[in-house]
Amino acid sequence: MLSFKIRKLYYLFYFSLILFSPASFSSDFRTNKYYDGMMGNVYVRIPERYALLLQYEKNQHGTIAKFRGNTVLARKIAAFRFDVTYPKMESTPRNAYGYHPDNVGVGVNSNSNDGNENTHHGDVHVNYLLSGREYGSNYSLVGNEFGMKKYINSTSLPGRADKYLFTHNGADGHIDVYITCSDTASYTASCEMSFDLPEAMRSEARVLFRIGMVNDWMKIKASVSDLISGFSVNQ
């Protein structure tokens, strides 16, 4: 089981590749501008424009799945990302969320890829942040905003995306969504929202957007979940 800090370094490395890589990693298992594979127990076909830097899990030979009545051999998907407009959720050139106020970037990571398939990620990650082990953070609960608990980090440095922390608890009492935001004095300052996708997919989504969109977090979450769930072709 990888620590939260190691997982965060993985995400930083993974997203940094987006800036410099001109194409997706994988070309195998690609059919007619789609990438086939398994997300948890769900067989998916992801359109190429939504599969930037798609990676398959290493050292595994595939899983039997059904597609249009036929048996197929599908490899497990480790991670992928894409950029979309909001609220239309149409694909857009990579990293465009930094230049257009209504675009968001989405990263998807398999839970089995980090050894935490059955973990409540929100609880683990938020407890890590509140523990102060992340850059010596010192979060204090200051109230509620946008239907979430709001924390402020008194030790955050300018431009670092850890000034504000918002958390939301699901019906089962576990944290199902959390958002971190920078303290940059700009309407386009960035936020990152993290949540688990439908349980059968065994994957976590991280969504990047400007701070002015935090009020729409529930709609953004639902839109991202619906879009990714729409890649499913299980029958």
Side-chain angles (χ1 to χ4, degrees), residues 32-44:
N32 298 323
K33 297 184 179 180
Y34 287 84
Y35 288 88
D36 291 24
M38 299 296 295
M39 292 180 63
N41 296 323
V42 181
Y43 177 56
V44 297

Side-chain angles (χ1 to χ4, degrees), residues 63-222:
T63 301
I64 299 297
K66 290 286 186 180
F67 176 56
R68 293 179 180 172
N70 298 315
T71 299
V72 296
L73 183 65
R75 292 173 64 188
K76 289 188 176 182
I77 294 173
F80 64 95
R81 77 169 309 273
F82 55 86
D83 300 296
V84 291
T85 60
Y86 175 79
K88 293 184 178 180
M89 304 306 287
E90 297 173 345
S91 64
T92 189
R94 66 182 61 180
N95 302 320
Y97 60 83
Y99 305 100
H100 190 284
D102 294 323
N103 290 353
V104 300
V106 180
V108 178
N109 188 62
S110 165
N111 295 347
S112 60
N113 191 44
D114 60 29
N116 294 314
E117 285 194 66
N118 301 312
T119 299
H120 292 285
H121 289 89
D123 293 344
V124 174
H125 297 175
V126 170
N127 287 337
Y128 183 86
L129 292 172
L130 296 179
S131 73
R133 288 178 289 172
E134 177 84 348
Y135 306 118
S137 302
N138 183 22
Y139 283 99
S140 297
L141 179 63
V142 295
N144 293 278
E145 192 172 1
F146 312 122
M148 311 180 84
K149 292 180 181 178
K150 181 181 180 181
Y151 299 81
I152 293 181
N153 179 12
S154 62
T155 61
S156 178
L157 297 177
R160 201 165 66 194
D162 65 349
K163 178 64 176 180
Y164 303 104
L165 169 66
F166 299 90
T167 67
H168 180 269
N169 291 76
D172 60 0
H174 294 285
I175 294 172
D176 58 356
V177 181
Y178 69 98
I179 302 172
T180 56
C181 299
S182 68
D183 66 343
T184 305
S186 169
Y187 184 64
T188 58
S190 64
C191 293
E192 180 181 273
M193 174 169 62
S194 301
F195 58 91
D196 286 333
L197 291 168
E199 185 176 358
M201 287 189 162
R202 298 181 183 176
S203 298
E204 180 185 23
R206 295 196 172 198
V207 185
L208 301 175
F209 50 81
R210 60 177 173 79
I211 197 168
M213 298 170 72
V214 174
N215 191 44
D216 278 350
W217 70 268
M218 285 189 286
K219 293 179 180 178
I220 295 173
K221 176 180 180 292

